[in-house]
């Protein structure tokens, strides 16, 4: 579905444009719309190739020690405009070191923040909590307000293209691979992704090594 929809849109819009003579402004509008669909397709393909490499056992390389709270704050700054428009604020609590490939860790944290922004209600707060649950490991959990999920939904939230019912209103803002990529990046570091829920709240996060193997 995620691939068929943009392809169908491209074909349909092109067929309509070719059905009769059109002026330059109308053709420019069609091309702009087609470009947006092509960029969406490119993003899906790139993400699927990344997941394929991860499934084939690709590991994180060029790891360095970072403070997770610093990385989170950099990404919160990146999302500043989106947060302002949504009336949301992000609270960061705690800190822990992590031994990571920085670009991958930022991608995973960014996906977690984007997921929370998309699915939290307007004006709601987002909490990022960083802990060291045991020696040698760091955990980062991003929490937002959420209706309760069923056990079946919780079992599939990291699957490719999976969306729970209440998030479909935001389906146009992502293509359903963000959490699958979070899980893949955690595994590339020897860690894991997780989801936990409490009444009215849900947390997605990842567990990463805090020191060199």
């Amino acid at each position: 579905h995620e691939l068929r929809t943009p392809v169908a849109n491209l074909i349909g819009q092109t067929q309509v444009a070719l059905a009769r003579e059109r002026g330059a402004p109308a053709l420019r509008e069609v091309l702009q719309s087609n470009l947006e669909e092509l960029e969406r397709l490119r993003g899906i393909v790139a993400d699927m190739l990344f997941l394929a490499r991860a499934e084939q056992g690709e590991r994180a390389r060029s790891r360095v020690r970072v403070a997770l709270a610093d990385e989170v704050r950099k990404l919160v700054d990146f999302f500043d405009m989106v947060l302002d428009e949504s009336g949301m604020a992000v609270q960061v609590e705690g800190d822990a070191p992590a031994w990571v490939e920085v670009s991958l860790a930022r991608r995973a944290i960014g996906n977690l923040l984007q997921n929370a922004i998309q699915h939290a209600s307007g004006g709601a707060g987002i909490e990022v909590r960083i802990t060291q649950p045991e020696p040698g490991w760091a955990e980062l959990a991003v929490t937002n307000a959420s209706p309760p999920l069923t056990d079946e939904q919780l079992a599939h939230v990291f699957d490719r293209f999976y969306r729970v019912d209440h998030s479909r209103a935001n389906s146009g803002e992502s293509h359903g691979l963000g959490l699958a990529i979070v899980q893949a990046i955690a595994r590339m570091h020897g860690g894991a992704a997780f989801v936990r829920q409490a009444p009215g709240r849900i947390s997605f996060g990842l567990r990463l090594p805090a020191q060199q193997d």
Side-chain angles (χ1 to χ4, degrees):
H1 171 76
E2 298 295 338
L3 293 172
R4 285 197 302 268
T5 298
V7 170
N9 289 342
L10 286 166
I11 293 172
Q13 290 167 176
T14 304
Q15 288 174 334
V16 170
L18 293 172
R20 60 181 175 84
E21 291 295 326
R22 292 176 180 273
L27 289 174
R28 188 177 295 110
E29 184 177 342
V30 171
L31 288 173
Q32 180 61 45
S33 178
N34 284 356
L35 179 60
E36 291 172 2
E37 295 290 356
L38 288 167
E39 289 175 342
R40 175 176 170 81
L41 276 172
R42 180 174 63 179
I44 293 172
V45 171
D47 285 349
M48 291 181 69
L49 289 172
F50 175 83
L51 289 169
R53 292 196 303 271
E55 288 175 356
Q56 291 169 3
E58 184 170 318
R59 303 286 288 179
R61 302 184 295 271
S62 304
R63 299 196 205 183
V64 296
R65 182 184 170 96
V66 300
L68 286 177
D70 289 344
E71 298 303 320
V72 172
R73 291 189 179 98
K74 291 173 186 175
L75 287 162
V76 170
D77 288 342
F78 176 79
F79 284 109
D80 184 61
M81 184 175 297
V82 177
L83 289 164
D84 284 345
E85 290 176 354
S86 303
M88 298 181 188
V90 177
Q91 180 179 358
V92 183
E93 297 183 2
D95 195 10
W99 183 255
V100 297
E101 184 173 335
V102 175
S103 62
L104 292 178
R106 288 177 179 171
R107 185 174 185 181
I109 297 168
N111 284 2
L112 291 172
L113 287 170
Q114 186 173 29
N115 180 72
I117 292 168
Q118 287 175 354
H119 299 130
S121 56
I126 296 170
E127 177 187 294
V128 181
R129 184 168 178 79
I130 303 166
T131 59
Q132 287 184 281
E134 59 184 276
W137 291 96
E139 279 193 1
L140 183 150
V142 180
T143 303
N144 59 271
S146 172
L149 303 188
T150 66
D151 290 342
E152 181 179 359
Q153 289 171 329
L154 290 171
H156 293 286
V157 289
F158 292 105
D159 292 353
R160 298 183 187 187
F161 303 120
Y162 184 78
R163 294 191 184 96
V164 296
D165 291 345
H166 71 262
S167 70
R168 287 179 182 168
N170 299 307
S171 61
E173 299 177 19
S174 67
H175 48 255
L177 292 174
L179 291 177
I181 289 172
V182 170
Q183 184 180 63
I185 290 172
R187 289 175 175 172
M188 290 170 74
H189 288 85
F194 60 83
V195 57
R196 300 164 183 157
Q197 68 175 342
R201 297 169 67 79
I202 192 164
S203 302
F204 289 92
L206 67 165
R207 179 183 176 94
L208 295 168
Q211 57 193 27
Q212 189 171 5
D213 296 336

